[in-house]
Amino acid sequence: DEEVNGVVITSLDGKGLAADAGLEVGDVILQVGDSAVTTPGDVEKALHATKADAVLLQIDRHGARIFVGVKLA
């Protein structure tokens, strides 16, 4: 098995933007935009640095790498 480095989603607000985008508990966030992330702080920093209304996340879901677009506001 390939080791996955990223940030595991351990909980979601069922009415939040991440849940609306289709993110799930257990997904591993690998990238926020062009930035690789390995800590929750990395994710927060990358989201704050984004000037757009939405961001593309690369995630690992059960071994499959997929992209999910998330509206930021």
Side-chain angles (χ1 to χ4, degrees), residues 33-54:
D34 293 332
S35 301
V37 294
T38 57
T39 68
D42 289 345
V43 173
E44 187 174 346
K45 183 177 177 182
L47 289 173
H48 286 299
T50 300
K51 304 299 182 202
D53 294 335

Side-chain angles (χ1 to χ4, degrees), residues 21-66:
L23 292 174
E24 301 176 0
V25 171
D27 286 348
V28 181
I29 302 171
L30 306 171
Q31 281 187 249
V32 176
D34 293 332
S35 301
V37 294
T38 57
T39 68
D42 289 345
V43 173
E44 187 174 346
K45 183 177 177 182
L47 289 173
H48 286 299
T50 300
K51 304 299 182 202
D53 294 335
V55 67
L56 191 63
L57 305 181
Q58 182 183 30
I59 65 168
D60 181 288
R61 179 176 291 158
H62 311 295
R65 299 214 173 175
I66 61 174

